[in-house]
Amino acid sequence: MKAMTYRGPYKLRVEEKPDPKIEHPNDAIVRVELAAICGSDLHLYHGMMPDTRVGHTFGHEFIGRVEQVGSSVQNLSVGDRVMVPFNIFCGSCFFCSRGLFSNCHNVNANATAVGGIYGYSHTAGGYDGGQAELVRVPFADVGPAVIPDGVNPEDALLLTDAFSTGYFGAQLADIVEGDTAVVFGAGPIGLAAARSCWLMGAGRVIVVDYLDYRLRKAEEFAHAETINFGQVNDIVLELKKQTGGLGADVVVEAVGAEADGHIMQHVTAAKLKLQGGSPVALNWAIDSVRKGGTISVMGAYGPLFSAVKFGDAMNKGVTMRMNQAPVKRQWPRLLEHIAAGHIKPSEMITHRIPLEHIAEGYHIFSSKLDDIIKPVITVA
Amino acid sequence: MPYTADKPGSTPDPEALRARIPGWGADLDPADRPAFPREQPGIETGAHWELPPQQAGASGRERSIEHERVTPVFGTAQPLHGISGRIRRFAYDRFSEGQTAHWLLLVAGDRVDAVTAHVTSLFSKRPDDPITESGVAGEIAHHPIASRVGRGRIDLKHAWLDPILVIGPWVVASVLAIKLVRAVFLPASKRGK
């Protein structure tokens, strides 16, 4: 099969790899139709995530058709068109049985702190991902779901991570009616979070980024107010001014490991990899949330420590909530929202790139060329 | 300004928001949100096993020493091999996830893996190609100048520094390696020349 393979930082290619095979009775093999490049794939591409091995196939956002099933699979059949959550989970461990699907303890031999994720290095279990023609899907009875008739495949694709994660980010912010929500980052997760804050009753939604085209998208797609932090002297001060001096009721951090805005954090984290990620956005969140407010962290960070302003968080009585999104728990509600016309996740898609040209897709996404927001990889 | 108990600014009008934002307030009740409560005992998952059967091939697979055994299901994407594999094996066998050394060794293993794969590729039928594999050809037809210039992109402020930061550690490491080799193999009398 053809698959994207990692060759080292900033290098990848498409090559022939052996077809994946059933390795466990509850595995399925899925023929990928659509995949996506996630902003967190860029952390892998840039060499930020430990144990990213040459030859690895990235891609944790994909949909496709079931091509083969293992002997114990009961809930899926060959030919089903499925969306596959980015988390791999067993459904029966201590964590899964409580709904913490992203924290499954039975699928990642390489670490206990993170569950299994398709195509996200051996730190997340060493599973090849969906930027390929075929992919092995463990626990096929638990993770994937048949895409309902009438649901646009591109909408389904964005439920496998991006929109579901943004929605989960808004949930963790514990919004109550009339709250002022600030979202750091106007990538797909930030856009989805901003859009979801309204569903939960926010009174104001302010999106912060430094790319004007992403902020325009935040205004159009998420109906948000926007601030370009590159055009103000002090983003925290600006947010305080705009919130009557108190700060935002809730903040969603949707930036993660390669946050820009502070040169030393950029050097030590993004380039020298001496931190698990640049904590610039996280620190701005701590500074700009009001005392007693809530911060929801959806940005992806590596496992090394990061220099976070924890003293301020403690003194302000801030609640910080975070996790990889248990996306399958969001699906029934999000499908209702799509059917009702409240959301249309595929409106975030800006680029459709054939698998053969995926290296160029990564470069365009990484360099933020051509007003790119969400690239989709067409496989079949 | 005096601080009062009231939230500053005007209170948003729910009806106006509902009229302007599709679906506004549809998930207003926190108790009705999909991931509430965070831990929900007895949730239906579709699993029809108490403990999943053990995937074959666990013997010899690296694992975090925080796990008692290799997990019932695991990835088999790229098994350990070569020098990078030895480094990674040491990281997994010796250090828990709480140890910085664990992660720094894995990062080191990644760099060794990339370099050895690149060198090995030079002796293969398909050597690494910096043009196609970097995707730099994507610059063409994707507005490389208009996307960067005149748009106030703050990342351009440090773009000049990035190549130095990426290449610099390799140069420093190479110099140190040469000095080490000279110290080990050259007699003291010849080292200064």
Side-chain angles (χ1 to χ4, degrees):
Chain A
M1 66 163 181
K2 284 191 175 64
M4 161 269 170
T5 57
Y6 176 71
R7 298 293 302 171
Y10 296 89
K11 286 190 302 180
L12 59 88
R13 68 188 184 191
V14 175
E15 63 185 20
E16 287 289 332
K17 290 178 74 167
D19 288 356
K21 58 181 190 293
I22 301 285
E23 301 190 46
H24 183 271
N26 210 253
D27 283 356
I29 304 297
V30 169
R31 183 166 289 278
V32 178
E33 295 180 342
L34 293 175
I37 307 176
C38 179
S40 55
D41 285 331
L42 296 181
H43 304 328
L44 298 173
Y45 178 63
H46 297 160
M48 291 206 68
M49 182 63 74
D51 211 358
T52 302
R53 301 182 187 175
V54 170
H56 200 55
T57 296
F58 300 166
H60 52 269
E61 298 177 297
F62 59 93
I63 64 168
R65 285 197 188 274
V66 177
E67 175 126 330
Q68 190 183 354
V69 293
S71 59
S72 85
V73 174
Q74 300 175 6
N75 301 333
L76 284 186
S77 303
V78 171
D80 284 346
R81 193 182 214 186
V82 292
M83 49 188 187
V84 182
F86 78 85
N87 337 92
I88 301 167
F89 52 102
C90 74
S92 63
C93 70
F94 179 93
F95 303 104
C96 286
S97 62
R98 288 159 177 78
L100 299 170
F101 300 152
S102 42
N103 307 113
C104 177
H105 222 45
N106 272 334
V107 292
N108 182 2
N110 297 64
T112 60
V114 63
I117 301 174
Y118 295 96
Y120 213 71
S121 87
H122 279 64
T123 296
Y127 297 91
D128 270 337
Q131 291 165 8
E133 290 180 319
L134 295 165
V135 61
R136 172 195 172 204
V137 173
F139 294 117
D141 280 335
V142 175
V146 175
I147 300 172
D149 290 340
V151 173
N152 179 323
E154 290 187 335
D155 283 330
L157 173 68
L158 293 198
L159 293 189
T160 63
D161 178 5
F163 202 95
S164 299
T165 294
Y167 182 79
F168 182 64
Q171 282 190 79
L172 290 195
D174 277 341
I175 292 166
V176 298
E177 184 174 339
D179 269 356
T180 296
V182 166
V183 178
F184 281 102
I189 307 294
L191 293 172
R195 188 70 192 79
S196 301
C197 286
W198 294 120
L199 297 173
M200 295 169 201
R204 286 181 77 189
V205 178
I206 304 170
V207 174
V208 178
D209 200 294
Y210 73 91
L211 292 163
D212 50 5
Y213 74 89
R214 300 212 301 189
L215 291 171
R216 277 200 306 276
K217 190 74 172 181
E219 292 165 3
E220 296 161 6
F221 176 80
H223 312 282
E225 301 169 51
T226 57
I227 301 176
N228 184 327
F229 73 79
Q231 293 175 7
V232 296
N233 285 329
D234 183 333
I235 183 60
V236 172
L237 187 60
E238 180 65 26
L239 287 166
K240 291 282 175 64
K241 285 178 180 173
Q242 294 208 15
T243 52
L246 300 189
D249 297 299
V250 301
V251 175
V252 180
E253 194 279 80
V255 179
E258 297 183 77
D260 230 314
H262 191 294
I263 189 70
M264 284 313 296
Q265 300 288 13
H266 169 76
V267 169
T268 59
K271 291 302 168 191
L272 298 182
K273 279 79 174 172
L274 297 176
Q275 298 190 58
S278 160
V280 173
L282 196 50
N283 286 334
W284 283 349
I286 291 169
D287 286 333
S288 57
V289 74
R290 72 166 167 82
K291 284 175 265 195
T294 301
I295 296 171
S296 162
V297 183
M298 289 297 106
Y301 290 86
L304 283 168
F305 74 91
S306 294
V308 177
K309 298 178 69 174
F310 206 74
D312 284 353
M314 186 274 167
N315 283 318
K316 292 176 73 169
V318 170
T319 298
M320 298 180 76
R321 302 186 68 193
M322 64 211 84
N323 201 350
Q324 298 281 356
V327 299
K328 197 169 179 187
R329 286 181 76 176
Q330 330 298 319
W331 284 355
R333 179 65 54 82
L334 289 177
L335 288 167
E336 288 174 13
H337 283 315
I338 290 172
H342 296 160
I343 58 170
K344 186 159 181 54
S346 57
E347 288 175 350
M348 295 194 292
I349 296 169
T350 52
H351 289 67
R352 294 165 181 84
I353 299 163
L355 178 62
E356 289 76 10
H357 296 159
I358 195 170
E360 294 177 12
Y362 267 85
H363 178 80
I364 295 164
F365 198 27
S366 171
S367 302
K368 298 180 172 62
L369 303 181
D370 206 23
D371 290 1
I372 193 167
I373 288 178
K374 185 65 178 176
V376 164
I377 305 302
T378 54
V379 182
Chain B
M1 63 176 274
Y3 295 109
T4 68
D6 297 326
K7 187 175 175 178
S10 57
T11 306
D13 175 11
E15 289 310 315
L17 288 169
R18 194 171 278 119
R20 185 168 71 88
I21 312 287
W24 183 86
D27 294 327
L28 199 51
D29 180 2
D32 188 38
R33 293 172 189 166
F36 180 89
R38 185 170 12 177
E39 296 187 21
Q40 190 171 319
I43 197 166
E44 281 295 321
T45 67
H48 42 86
W49 48 81
E50 293 289 324
L51 179 68
Q54 178 64 48
Q55 181 179 328
S59 176
R61 194 198 188 279
E62 78 283 1
R63 66 172 169 87
S64 165
I65 55 175
E66 295 185 25
H67 276 304
E68 293 176 352
R69 59 170 190 151
V70 174
T71 50
V73 166
F74 52 89
T76 55
Q78 284 77 39
L80 296 176
H81 69 281
I83 299 170
S84 63
R86 288 172 182 263
I87 295 169
R88 287 163 170 152
R89 174 76 70 187
F90 179 64
Y92 281 109
D93 287 351
R94 175 67 179 81
F95 299 104
S96 77
E97 295 163 56
Q99 299 290 319
T100 302
H102 176 80
W103 302 110
L104 290 179
L105 279 166
L106 289 175
V107 171
D110 290 352
R111 299 300 171 263
V112 170
D113 193 11
V115 170
T116 52
H118 175 61
V119 171
T120 306
S121 82
L122 299 177
F123 302 96
S124 72
K125 290 179 180 174
R126 190 182 176 189
D128 281 328
D129 176 348
I131 302 297
T132 58
E133 293 181 6
S134 66
V136 70
E139 294 273 336
I140 302 167
H142 289 98
H143 310 102
I145 297 172
S147 297
R148 293 185 171 101
V149 178
R151 310 188 75 169
R153 284 179 57 159
I154 61 165
D155 53 340
L156 294 186
K157 292 179 182 173
H158 55 68
W160 62 273
L161 185 62
D162 293 348
I164 298 171
L165 292 170
V166 172
I167 298 168
W170 290 101
V171 173
V172 171
S174 300
V175 170
L176 290 175
I178 291 168
K179 283 182 175 290
L180 183 66
V181 170
R182 284 170 62 87
V184 171
F185 293 105
L186 277 185
S189 59
K190 293 187 177 179
R191 277 181 220 157
K193 296 178 182 175

